[in-house]
Amino acid sequence: MLLRRGCWPLVAAGLLALAALGWFVGGWFSGGPLKQDTAFVVPDGASLGSVATKLEREGAIESAEAFRLRARIFGAGSSIKAGEFMLPKGASPSRILSIIQGDEVLRRFLTVPEGMPSIMVYERLMANPQLTGTIEVPVEGSILPDTYEIQSGESRQAVVLRMQAAMQRTLAELWAQRSPTTVVKTPQEAIILAGIVEKETGKPSERRLVAGLYSNRIRQGIMLQADPTIIYPITKGKPLGRRIRQSEIQAVNDYNTYTMTGLPKGPITNPGRESIAAVLNPRQTDVLYMVADGTGGHMFARTLPEHNANVERWYAIRRARGDF
């Protein structure tokens, strides 16, 4: 039986669709571009998207976008795992996903990001299925943020002790190198002020300037007025998830630097090495004020009128965004 002339476009479209389907499926199971067996690290807490990008960047797959799409359609329900894996030469995308979802781990890692408070370090450790035993919430400021290698079956307490020993070593090293211009008088004060600097700026380039600003306020007996010190007594350092209330700004406690001068009674987070170094060697500056600039950084000012003008700029940015 001959096909009518009008049917040929439908047949052609069907054949193209079958070819596309074959390419899509075949691309998942066919060999990949790796020229030799290669070690690949999945960072702790990484998403499928970030791992796909890393795989493409390191030459294990051709396309991160195609890998993500195929993984969502063909991949098993298991989540990817943190650790170091060995990807064999020519491994297909399907094989790679199977490896990073499986137990073929060469080394396992756990990451504590800079500025993660101890309650969240505790939760991360307790949620890790490779570790054993129970722990108390570590003392705030006692953990050095870093990536740590862990062993399957290792006790959580052993990991905490290694993290705390790393902080003690780092603090001792940086304290010995402190500048005469630092305002802190003890290593504990360094951790407290570094925690505020860590929470107040997400830009590494600003750390020493922010440290210099707060050092100036401490020397002049001006309240630090750091928002994270309001939040800490409420959430123990977890995100507040809403705007700070006026009653919380006015609350009197051992942490709120809007109602007290000087440093809080203790750290409000676990600061990273660079924030500790910043308060021990602050930038020499005469700025006393700062407000967000809408890009993740801050506008700095030496006088209150300059600061008020910067605040108006920040409000204009927020109004343009529709924040209020």
Side-chain angles (χ1 to χ4, degrees), residues 39-290:
F40 179 78
V41 174
V42 176
D44 186 36
S47 66
L48 176 64
S50 65
V51 169
T53 300
K54 191 169 185 285
L55 284 165
E56 179 183 330
R57 186 170 62 245
E58 297 184 18
I61 59 174
E62 298 287 356
S63 166
E65 183 177 356
F67 183 88
R68 285 193 297 268
L69 179 59
R70 288 168 170 141
R72 292 191 177 102
I73 295 174
F74 301 121
S78 303
S79 59
I80 57 178
K81 298 182 179 180
E84 183 180 24
F85 300 84
M86 184 59 69
L87 305 182
K89 173 183 177 181
S92 67
S94 173
R95 175 64 176 140
I96 289 174
L97 181 63
S98 176
I99 289 171
I100 63 178
Q101 286 180 330
D103 295 321
E104 301 177 41
V105 185
L106 300 177
R107 302 161 67 201
R108 294 177 171 85
F109 301 98
L110 186 144
T111 299
V112 175
E114 294 173 336
M116 175 176 276
S118 286
I119 184 63
M120 295 179 71
V121 175
Y122 165 83
E123 291 173 352
R124 179 161 291 194
L125 287 165
M126 292 302 297
N128 191 300
Q130 305 297 330
L131 300 176
T132 62
T134 60
I135 54 170
E136 300 294 328
V137 176
V139 174
E140 198 68 77
S142 68
I143 300 293
L144 181 70
D146 204 346
T147 295
Y148 296 88
E149 184 173 353
I150 61 174
Q151 303 298 321
S152 181
E154 186 175 11
S155 74
R156 293 179 175 89
Q157 185 60 32
V159 177
V160 168
L161 291 175
R162 284 196 284 116
M163 293 174 170
Q164 291 176 328
M167 175 60 91
Q168 291 167 6
R169 288 193 303 271
T170 298
L171 184 56
E173 173 195 338
L174 296 176
W175 182 256
Q177 301 170 5
R178 68 190 183 279
S179 166
T181 61
T182 184
V183 74
V184 297
K185 298 179 177 64
T186 66
Q188 178 67 359
E189 287 188 357
I191 293 293
I192 295 171
L193 184 54
I196 295 174
V197 171
E198 191 76 75
K199 285 294 190 180
E200 281 284 43
T201 181
K203 282 192 171 182
S205 60
E206 284 189 352
R207 286 191 182 110
R208 291 187 62 227
L209 181 55
V210 173
L213 181 155
Y214 282 125
S215 297
N216 290 341
R217 293 178 78 92
I218 289 172
R219 288 192 188 95
Q220 297 181 35
I222 304 172
M223 288 186 289
L224 299 185
Q225 295 185 321
D227 289 1
T229 66
I230 300 173
I231 297 170
Y232 186 77
I234 304 169
T235 67
K236 295 303 179 185
K238 289 185 176 183
L240 186 59
R242 56 171 172 78
R243 293 182 183 175
I244 298 172
R245 300 181 180 126
Q246 190 63 37
S247 61
E248 293 164 343
I249 296 174
Q250 297 171 349
V252 177
N253 55 56
D254 292 331
Y255 287 93
N256 185 2
T257 57
Y258 276 80
T259 56
M260 62 180 284
T261 57
L263 294 170
K265 75 169 185 178
I268 61 169
T269 194
N270 292 291
R273 178 187 179 93
E274 296 307 316
S275 289
I276 300 170
V279 304
L280 292 175
N281 186 22
R283 182 175 301 176
Q284 297 304 294
T285 179
D286 55 359
V287 299
L288 289 169
Y289 306 92
M290 68 180 188

